[in-house]
Amino acid sequence: MDYGMIGKIEKAKRYAEERDRITFNSLEVEFKGNNNVYSISLNGSGWQCSCPGFHSHSICPHVMAMERLFKPMLKRDPLPYTPGQNVVSDVEKSKRYSEETDRIRFAAFDVTFHGSNNDHHTNYNTQSMQCDCDFFHTRHVCSHSMAMERILMKMLPKQPVSEE
Ligand SMILES: [Zn+2]
Ligand SMILES: [Zn+2]
């Protein structure tokens, strides 16, 4: 373990607690509902979920659970409730789902880290993480990638080794 790496681990711990530094530009997750697995995505045109509820109401407890879990990292207003939606039941479910994070598996994400000097882009796809910072370029791991591992933990399908 070298000092450069120790510094990055300390920084990753801090970043994982200062989540408002991080913004999800896009994400794709598999969400295990009570009966089926649904695909959720977030991108420039907003949220999508493959469940029937979202299809009818453009909002569902799966997306509401994601909003609840990642609030400081979304930088967008929560989806509005719609007529015909069972709000009481959806709020109840979304609370429970947001505590059951083993329902969620990230397939991809792209985040911006607002660092003290520069912004960095970190992304994840097909179980591998990339970051545009210099440290990552030489070491294939950095404070940003380690912060995302800390935040998402088992929601990242293959949990990379970061502290050994
Ligand atoms: Zn849904
Ligand atoms: Zn980085």
Side-chain angles (χ1 to χ4, degrees), residues 23-76:
T23 304
F24 272 113
N25 303 310
S26 65
L27 61 82
E28 282 172 39
V29 306
E30 295 288 297
F31 196 111
K32 199 160 161 282
N34 288 330
N35 305 305
N36 291 296
V37 177
Y38 300 114
S39 304
I40 297 181
S41 66
L42 173 69
N43 56 37
S45 43
W47 289 103
Q48 288 291 329
C49 180
S50 63
C51 78
F54 192 93
H55 186 73
S56 314
H57 304 299
S58 305
I59 184 171
C60 67
H62 316 113
V63 170
M64 289 162 68
M66 294 293 289
E67 289 177 331
R68 200 174 271 277
L69 263 173
F70 298 111
K71 190 166 187 281
M73 302 166 69
L74 292 169
K75 316 284 190 300
R76 56 175 57 232

Side-chain angles (χ1 to χ4, degrees), residues 31 33-34 61 65 68 89-103:
F31 196 111
N34 288 330
R68 200 174 271 277
S89 154
D90 283 0
V91 168
E92 186 57 42
K93 274 188 199 160
S94 72
K95 278 187 187 159
R96 186 158 42 80
Y97 287 163
S98 68
E99 284 160 13
E100 298 168 358
T101 55
D102 55 335
R103 291 176 178 277

Side-chain angles (χ1 to χ4, degrees), residues 27-161:
L27 61 82
E28 282 172 39
V29 306
E30 295 288 297
F31 196 111
K32 199 160 161 282
N34 288 330
N35 305 305
N36 291 296
V37 177
Y38 300 114
S39 304
I40 297 181
S41 66
L42 173 69
N43 56 37
S45 43
W47 289 103
Q48 288 291 329
C49 180
S50 63
C51 78
F54 192 93
H55 186 73
S56 314
H57 304 299
S58 305
I59 184 171
C60 67
H62 316 113
V63 170
M64 289 162 68
M66 294 293 289
E67 289 177 331
R68 200 174 271 277
L69 263 173
F70 298 111
K71 190 166 187 281
M73 302 166 69
L74 292 169
K75 316 284 190 300
R76 56 175 57 232
D77 293 332
L79 289 178
Y81 299 143
T82 54
Q85 179 194 6
N86 189 335
V87 174
V88 175
S89 154
D90 283 0
V91 168
E92 186 57 42
K93 274 188 199 160
S94 72
K95 278 187 187 159
R96 186 158 42 80
Y97 287 163
S98 68
E99 284 160 13
E100 298 168 358
T101 55
D102 55 335
R103 291 176 178 277
I104 300 169
R105 292 286 179 279
F106 272 78
F109 67 70
D110 182 282
V111 297
T112 303
F113 265 85
H114 190 60
S116 358
N117 304 306
N118 295 301
D119 283 358
H120 291 292
H121 286 268
T122 312
N123 63 71
Y124 174 83
N125 208 327
T126 52
Q127 308 197 347
S128 108
M129 195 101 75
Q130 298 290 328
C131 186
D132 66 4
C133 72
D134 291 340
F135 197 86
F136 191 93
H137 189 68
T138 50
R139 309 294 294 273
H140 308 291
V141 63
C142 63
S143 53
H144 315 108
S145 68
M146 290 188 285
M148 291 310 291
E149 287 167 13
R150 282 185 166 269
I151 292 168
L152 300 178
M153 295 189 287
K154 293 198 168 66
M155 289 183 264
L156 288 179
K158 192 164 109 194
Q159 202 178 359
V161 177

